[in-house]
Amino acid sequence: MIYWVLQSDMYHSQVTSNDSISLPRSVPLLWDKKTKTVVNNESADIIRMFNSEFNEWAERPIDLYPSDLRDEIDDLNAWIYPEINNGVYKAGFASSQEAYDKAVVKVFEALDKLETILSKRRFLCGARLTEADIRLFPTLFRFDPVYVVRFKCNLRMLKEYPNLWEYVRDVYQQPGVSEASNLEHCKKGYFGRTGNGIVPMGPVVDYSLPTNRAKQFADS
């Protein structure tokens, strides 16, 4: 079977024109090109599928959901998603000052918690990169250039968190991550297609700056 993960323009051409797909339609969406059917449109399910169902085609198979860390990964996902991944959207799309204030405080409380965790270990579950890191990374990657500005999550910038700033660069510099992380595409999406069309020039963020975390936690 041939699968795509559909996003943005491809999504519109392949899915919104397909009357057999019921509303609501959302991304990301795993699409079977042969049978022209939706396999799944829940990101948490899709990441698990990619972890185990496509290994025979993988150049470098890696287990991001190892059995000995599954409970810890699930516990991390349980609060990182609502408080950070989805938390920035609660702030950005708040319909009242009270709702915005509450959401922003929750986001930064969660970031403070992560800063403490990452002061003691290289990745969220220790020495190994796991699903928890992969799920957290996109939000941190977009935080300063997108969410600080577009969603008003501006109590602090990620750069002001020493461990989080080192951590996001460490994950970005893992094999294959930078190639799949297009910051200009993200900014055009948030400020262009869904904003007023004006994409801000800054802030300037360089995720390729060297990081010392591998050496720092070499014995952990």
Side-chain angles (χ1 to χ4, degrees):
M1 301 181 90
I2 302 173
Y3 296 106
W4 280 352
V5 173
L6 300 184
Q7 304 233 19
S8 65
D9 295 339
M10 188 185 298
Y11 170 85
H12 288 288
S13 63
Q14 296 289 328
V15 178
T16 59
S17 61
N18 191 326
D19 293 334
S20 67
I21 302 174
S22 61
L23 295 172
R25 299 160 177 164
S26 63
V27 292
L29 182 145
L30 192 61
W31 175 259
D32 187 328
K33 292 172 62 177
K34 277 192 172 182
T35 63
K36 293 183 171 55
T37 56
V38 174
V39 179
N40 198 292
N41 73 330
E42 168 50 56
S43 58
D45 294 337
I46 292 172
I47 194 172
R48 294 273 169 93
M49 291 177 185
F50 279 143
N51 186 61
S52 58
E53 301 301 321
F54 301 92
N55 284 346
E56 61 182 290
W57 296 285
E59 294 181 5
R60 298 186 299 272
I62 178 174
D63 187 5
L64 295 170
Y65 192 56
S67 57
D68 59 317
L69 293 176
R70 288 181 181 177
D71 288 345
E72 187 172 2
I73 292 169
D74 290 343
D75 288 343
L76 285 162
N77 291 342
W79 64 267
I80 288 175
Y81 175 77
E83 296 179 21
I84 296 179
N85 300 126
N86 197 42
V88 293
Y89 286 89
K90 292 177 183 176
F93 291 102
S95 57
S96 70
Q97 186 69 49
E98 182 182 6
Y100 163 77
D101 291 347
K102 181 178 179 181
V104 167
V105 168
K106 292 289 287 185
V107 167
F108 283 90
E109 285 178 347
L111 289 176
D112 291 343
K113 184 175 179 179
L114 284 175
E115 176 71 6
T116 299
I117 292 171
L118 293 168
S119 70
K120 303 171 184 176
R121 46 178 57 181
R122 182 180 179 185
F123 299 113
L124 289 175
C125 291
R128 285 181 283 176
L129 185 78
T130 69
E131 176 191 292
D133 301 292
I134 300 301
R135 287 177 49 143
L136 173 63
F137 173 77
T139 303
L140 299 187
F141 176 71
R142 301 172 189 146
F143 199 86
D144 284 3
V146 175
Y147 301 136
V148 167
V149 182
R150 180 80 166 87
F151 288 172
K152 304 179 182 69
C153 293
N154 53 12
L155 291 182
R156 287 179 294 282
M157 296 183 71
L158 200 71
K159 286 182 177 181
E160 296 177 57
Y161 289 92
N163 293 293
L164 275 170
W165 175 228
E166 287 273 336
Y167 165 81
V168 71
R169 298 194 334 263
D170 192 10
V171 177
Y172 177 83
Q173 293 169 29
Q174 297 302 305
V177 177
S178 63
E179 295 89 333
S181 306
N182 187 325
L183 190 55
E184 288 308 307
H185 181 270
C186 292
K187 291 174 69 173
K188 288 176 181 177
Y190 280 95
F191 295 99
R193 290 187 297 274
T194 61
N196 62 3
I198 299 173
V199 180
M201 294 179 66
V204 177
V205 183
D206 187 357
Y207 296 109
S208 65
L209 291 173
T211 173
N212 196 43
R213 288 184 70 81
K215 183 177 180 180
Q216 179 183 354
F217 295 102
D219 298 327
S220 62

